[in-house]
């Protein structure tokens, strides 16, 4: 949350208790004077010290008799500012009158939701292009997880947004990701497993026979003693698709706090340089590196590719300098015990309605695709 937004989340009211409310409790008197706020909310402000009577703190049960000066620091709900423009730098890869392609950094939430009402990509877009206020969701047609970096396309007008949504639904948008996973993947392949809510945790996704079709194609780019560097291409864009499909292969993403495995780091099999990089890597190692689509106005196929994220570059470089494992060294095997951590993803959802999940590895599409 920016400083300006933080300051705007409260404002001060100075009131004088009228004599016809004399004899009432403070919370009751304030509720009658401020009918737009519930009594329970006023009680919470009083308890938090946000209300003073004649410059002194009080309780909800304090009796007022009329004539007292009451100062109320009104706390505005943070979601009120969800669609506020914020001066947040954007790494813009391409922009014209119809679309904008941005390289989203890891750690940035795409769309405001519970726990992340400001500082999002949407807030940044509204500052960069104020006309986006007239486009649903400021032109956002798909998302990336908060800690997934890489390319996103944004529509700058209604016609472009409709066109892009249709392309996403038709699965004609080309999306390539780079991933670093634990374990050794020996051949290229495809995971064709439907995804749905994890029946044991609403904030997670899982292989679910009653879920939506999900297809991820993967290719081995480099193989190391305990990790594999991969290319992943999405045919569908479900919430957390790559992360869950890699878990299904028993090759979870390095750094994934939700779909990884506990006790997985094979310290003895790594150089000190690699140990240091792994210990400092605090997000899932997933990067949307390439995006291709038909331009909504010209129908021309356009494609963008960016560099691998710096933190993944550093991790990959450390992996390339691993010591060769001795033949008599114990073989590394994955532990199947899940992480204790079950991070509550704020932002992302099915059909843009349910904000229990953070966005997906691939995309969060308006209709069929998330």
């Amino acid at each position: 949350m920016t400083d300006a937004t933080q300051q705007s989340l409260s404002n001060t009211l100075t009131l004088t208790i009228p004599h016809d409310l004399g004899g009432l409790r403070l919370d009751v008197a304030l509720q009658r004077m401020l009918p737009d706020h519930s009594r329970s909310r006023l009680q919470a402000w009083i308890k938090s010290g946000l209300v003073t009577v004649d410059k002194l703190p009080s309780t909800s049960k304090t009796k007022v008799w009329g004539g007292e000066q009451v100062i109320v620091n009104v706390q505005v709900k943070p979601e009120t500012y969800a669609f506020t423009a914020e001066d947040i730098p954007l790494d813009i890869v391409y922009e014209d009158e119809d679309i904008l392609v941005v390289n989203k950094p890891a750690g940035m939430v795409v769309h405001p939701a519970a726990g992340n009402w400001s500082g999002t990509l949407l807030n940044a877009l509204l500052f960069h292009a104020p006309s986006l206020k007239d486009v649903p969701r400021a032109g956002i047609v798909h998302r990336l997880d908060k800690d997934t970096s890489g390319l996103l396309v944004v529509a700058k007008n209604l016609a472009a947004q409709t066109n892009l949504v249709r392309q996403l639904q038709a699965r004609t948008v080309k999306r390539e990701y780079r991933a670093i996973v634990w374990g050794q993947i020996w051949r290229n392949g495809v995971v064709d497993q439907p995804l749905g809510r994890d029946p044991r945790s609403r904030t997670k996704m899982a292989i679910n026979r009653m879920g939506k079709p999900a297809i991820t194609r993967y290719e081995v780019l480099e193989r190391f003693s305990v990790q594999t560097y991969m290319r992943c291409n999405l045919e569908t864009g479900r919430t957390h698709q790559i992360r869950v499909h890699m878990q299904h292969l028993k090759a979870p993403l390095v750094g994934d706090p939700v779909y990884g495995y506990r006790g997985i780091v094979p310290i003895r099999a790594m150089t000190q340089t690699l140990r240091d990089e792994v210990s400092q890597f605090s997000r899932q190692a997933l990067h949307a590196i390439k995006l291709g689509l038909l331009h909504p106005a010209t129908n021309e196929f356009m494609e963008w590719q960016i560099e691998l994220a710096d933190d993944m570059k550093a991790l990959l470089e450390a992996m390339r300098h691993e010591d060769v494992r001795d033949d008599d060294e114990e073989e590394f095997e994955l532990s199947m015990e899940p992480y204790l951590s079950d991070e509550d993803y704020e932002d992302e959802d099915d059909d843009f309605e349910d904000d229990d999940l953070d966005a997906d590895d691939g995309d969060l599409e308006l209709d069929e695709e998330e």
Side-chain angles (χ1 to χ4, degrees), residues 3-15:
D3 291 341
T5 303
Q6 181 67 56
Q7 292 170 5
S8 66
L9 290 181
S10 65
N11 57 74
T12 302
L13 295 178
T14 300
L15 310 170

Side-chain angles (χ1 to χ4, degrees), residues 197-217:
R197 298 278 185 177
D198 187 327
R200 295 168 295 182
S201 174
R202 260 187 63 80
T203 63
K204 297 172 65 176
M205 301 296 286
I207 303 297
N208 187 328
R209 299 304 169 192
M210 302 301 292
K212 295 180 179 180
I215 301 173
T216 304
R217 298 188 180 276

Side-chain angles (χ1 to χ4, degrees), residues 183-207:
Q184 294 179 322
I185 303 295
W186 291 97
R187 60 175 62 90
N188 303 335
V190 57
V191 181
D192 185 353
Q193 294 290 338
L195 298 183
R197 298 278 185 177
D198 187 327
R200 295 168 295 182
S201 174
R202 260 187 63 80
T203 63
K204 297 172 65 176
M205 301 296 286
I207 303 297

Side-chain angles (χ1 to χ4, degrees), residues 96 98-101 135 138-142 152-175 291-297 300 302 304 363-367 369:
D96 61 24
D98 300 288
I99 61 174
L100 183 152
V101 177
V135 183
I140 293 172
V141 294
H142 68 129
L152 279 167
V153 62
V154 176
K156 294 183 69 176
N157 53 62
L158 285 171
Q161 186 176 52
T162 300
N163 182 284
L164 290 174
V165 169
R166 288 173 178 169
Q167 289 191 55
L168 289 164
Q169 290 173 340
R171 302 179 185 175
T172 57
V173 176
K174 307 302 180 185
R175 293 153 291 174
L291 175 68
L293 51 83
L294 295 175
H295 191 282
E300 173 190 0
M302 302 185 73
W304 301 272
D363 300 292
L364 190 65
E365 301 172 11
L366 289 175
D367 297 312
E369 303 281 341

Side-chain angles (χ1 to χ4, degrees), residues 23-40:
L24 296 179
R25 289 168 39 131
L26 175 62
D27 57 346
V28 176
L30 285 179
Q31 205 282 319
R32 295 189 184 181
M33 297 174 69
L34 302 171
D36 291 341
H37 300 291
S38 68
R39 186 174 169 186
S40 60

